[in-house]
Amino acid sequence: RKEVEQDPGPFNVPEGATVAFNCTYSNSASQSFFWYRQDCRKEPKLLMSVYSSGNEDGRFTAQLNRASQYISLLIRDSKLSDSATYLCVVEHGGATNKLIFGTGTLLAVQP
Amino acid sequence: GAVVSQHPSRVICKSGTSVKIECRSLDFQATTMFWYRQFPKKSLMLMATSNEGSKATYEQGVEKDKFLINHASLTLSTLTVTSAHPEDSSFYICSARGLAGSFYEQYFGPGTRLTVT
């Protein structure tokens, strides 16, 4: 079983739609959680950190449920420029602070 | 934000040759650098973690003698793919972890696309 699991998609949505991505992680000792965005043939870029209380950044809302080991990302009013792969990322604590990436969910926003 | 550079951005080499990839943190000191590999339509897979001045810690299944990592300074780490073969063709991405204000953050380089013919 992969440590971080995501639905690979693709999610094809019209402009203006609301879309939600889910992610589960298996290591209960994971300490920090993130959503990254990766455009085709580019490096991943941090979209937002995810906190237990839930957090919002403009059209993006992230939620964390530690009990269920579940992370979500909600994108409202989708734009064409939101088309990308969204990576769920979990950070181990301790000495190494390794980031473990999910396989990503592909979003295609259609005009 | 902080900047991490990688060089080269793209390399094509013949089977059996060695390729060196550099990763530099340009405006901060990276206490730890990470090397990832990403195959097409797959996730980033951590290959190894290196701390300045010490040996790299390799993930399970990654051959340390094939993927040589040197982290000689707080701003430079190198990955050498020795005796490269076509199955080593991949997107190699480094990231550097350092202090940004009061928090440690991790920044990714733009990646190096390796094609072995």
Side-chain angles (χ1 to χ4, degrees):
Chain A
R1 185 190 167 190
K2 291 181 183 147
E3 187 168 339
V4 181
E5 300 228 39
Q6 293 181 252
D7 179 346
F11 283 56
N12 295 301
V13 303
E15 265 186 293
T18 296
V19 61
F21 304 138
N22 303 319
C23 166
T24 57
Y25 62 95
S26 59
N27 188 335
S28 58
S30 301
Q31 295 198 351
S32 301
F33 309 88
F34 310 91
W35 283 101
Y36 276 74
R37 170 194 170 128
Q38 187 174 26
D39 292 288
C40 189
R41 302 175 77 83
K42 299 283 187 184
E43 78 276 21
K45 294 196 173 175
L46 179 64
L47 181 65
M48 59 197 301
S49 301
V50 188
Y51 304 114
S52 297
S53 53
N55 48 301
E56 189 173 306
D57 182 1
R59 297 182 292 111
F60 299 85
T61 301
Q63 299 253 328
L64 166 65
N65 184 322
R66 283 188 186 267
S68 304
Q69 295 180 196
Y70 171 92
I71 305 161
S72 66
L73 176 68
L74 184 79
I75 304 176
R76 289 181 299 278
D77 188 23
S78 300
K79 311 288 184 196
L80 294 175
S81 56
D82 293 334
S83 298
T85 297
Y86 289 83
L87 302 165
C88 177
V89 182
V90 167
E91 183 178 24
H92 289 180
T96 61
N97 297 99
K98 297 193 296 190
L99 293 183
I100 307 298
F101 285 78
T103 50
T105 299
L106 180 60
L107 171 66
V109 181
Q110 317 285 352
Chain B
V3 178
V4 176
S5 71
Q6 272 184 250
H7 176 79
S9 58
R10 185 185 298 259
V11 58
I12 300 172
C13 70
K14 291 191 175 177
S15 191
T17 60
S18 294
V19 175
K20 181 187 278 190
I21 303 169
E22 288 188 352
C23 176
R24 290 181 188 274
S25 58
L26 297 183
D27 51 1
F28 68 103
Q29 293 188 326
T31 49
T32 307
M33 285 188 170
F34 303 86
W35 285 96
Y36 293 84
R37 179 168 53 180
Q38 186 176 32
F39 291 107
K41 302 194 182 204
K42 300 289 184 184
S43 187
L44 275 76
M45 296 300 296
L46 180 64
M47 299 175 68
T49 302
S50 74
N51 293 297
E52 183 260 343
S54 61
K55 286 185 180 178
T57 301
Y58 288 81
E59 295 299 301
Q60 194 171 17
V62 178
E63 299 172 59
K64 62 180 181 182
D65 294 329
K66 180 167 179 66
F67 298 99
L68 301 178
I69 291 172
N70 183 281
H71 190 165
S73 78
L74 284 171
T75 59
L76 173 65
S77 176
T78 60
L79 166 68
T80 301
V81 184
T82 62
S83 186
H85 290 286
E87 58 266 29
D88 298 323
S89 299
S90 187
F91 191 42
Y92 291 85
I93 307 174
C94 74
S95 75
R97 187 167 185 269
L99 201 57
S102 305
F103 300 97
Y104 280 94
E105 293 201 23
Q106 200 169 134
Y107 303 94
F108 284 84
T112 296
R113 196 160 298 279
L114 170 64
T115 303
V116 185
T117 61

